[in-house]
Amino acid sequence: MKKKYLALILSCIMCSSLFFTGCGKTAEEPVIEEDDDDEDEDEDDDDDKEDDDDDDKDDKNVYVESIDEETLAEQIKVFVKNKKLWTITGNESVELEDAAYCVTDLDHNGRCELLVMTESAYSTVTDTRIFEITEKGDAFKEADWDYKGIQNVSGSLIPDFIYYPLLDFYFDEKEETCHYILGNSFDNGNGEYGNLCCDVEYSNSVADVNTYLYIKINQSYDPDTWEYDYKYTYGTPDGEIEEETYNDILSHYPPRIDLESVYFGIYYRGWYDDFGVMNLEDSFLVSVLTDSYKVFSGELDYSEFYGTYNDVYAPADTETYYEQYIGFWGLYESETEGDVNNYTSSSNFYRSLEFDNDSRVTLTVYDEGKIVLVYAAEVYMDENMDPYFEITDSSILNDGIVCERYTVTGMNSDKDLIYVSFDFYGEDGYLGGSSLKFIKDWE
């Protein structure tokens, strides 16, 4: 399991087309008016040809920014009415650990897709099935997957959509296609695991997966020294590359194209004690799927969706996930491998956190009552909507450490104590950490 999630940190089935309740002409099939006047002069024919070329441009797909409420409601009804055809139940597989669902419009053609995502309990293999509303709007069909790029690195072909509620994407105006950038972790066994970088292009009910980069780790254990050894291999479809080249491609892909960010409103279900969505009231399922799409279209904050449907301990409606932490917090207690220490402002290694209104935090470290470090950083939200920040400045970090990460993992009911996970990483990954408690206005 440790290898599995280390691979995730390093990141950044073939499905046959099947009509379930009907079929329709794809939206990508252009409708072009023909000129039937055979008596035009050649010059006029040339002009008409140019006009037709302009019409071709006008007849290409229209990029739908957001599906209107009435159309969205009708499409959601189609999914809910036929939910037995796409839901995953807890009894479907003894290996099924997790299932998740979200509604998108990946190609922005105005017709929803329902993504059904699963994860195996015993490996990093994930699966995603895509069901798209047909052009008539009264049925849906399953999309196909197609693969290109790097081969024979991992047996898990479909990228890990289930792990990525926030994705980068870009729209290729020339090809009129949408692309989504995400990772695909893998574990081939025998100590070999890693991550693939994927560019998923969705169009015409086909998801083309272009795997353009990978990092592979071979882990071995020496019983004499009780130590692990790690060998890193980097590559592209053209072969192995150096680490520096890997990092350069990773930070500059895709070239000369501005990336945007999009949230997926993922609804998590399907744990062993959960019977999936079949036993949910249809009205509630309509609400979930509708709000899921609104997250994708930017009409609903992901934090609000997550708090409503996935987090029973979500903050009150009047608060966002970040706002509840704004203020000054002083270190009260630390625990490292069972060793507990208490602090006041005069203690060695006492520190404070001050979160401001602009999603920034100031970390102050003290030694015997004197300030020895003041560090300001941006605060981000992870997939669990927990705020975190990182220190990667080598001039501040101890030797052998390349990153320190503070993650606020929770708050007490009185909202005057927060729990913070303090973790540090070296070149070879996770090295250790501590559990910290900060009290509001504690000095």
Side-chain angles (χ1 to χ4, degrees), residues 309-326:
Y309 299 111
N310 293 322
D311 186 2
V312 296
Y313 300 107
D317 292 340
T318 56
E319 295 178 304
T320 69
Y321 278 76
Y322 174 76
E323 287 174 347
Q324 60 183 335
Y325 301 112
I326 292 176

Side-chain angles (χ1 to χ4, degrees), residues 147-177:
Y147 309 93
K148 56 186 177 180
I150 299 168
Q151 304 292 330
N152 302 321
V153 174
S154 164
S156 175
L157 296 175
I158 296 180
D160 297 327
F161 278 92
I162 196 171
Y163 300 138
Y164 293 93
L166 178 62
L167 291 180
D168 287 331
F169 85 99
Y170 67 93
F171 179 68
D172 187 327
E173 294 185 359
K174 182 179 180 180
E175 300 296 331
E176 292 191 322
T177 53

Side-chain angles (χ1 to χ4, degrees), residues 17 59 94 250:
S17 293
D59 287 330
V94 295
L250 188 65

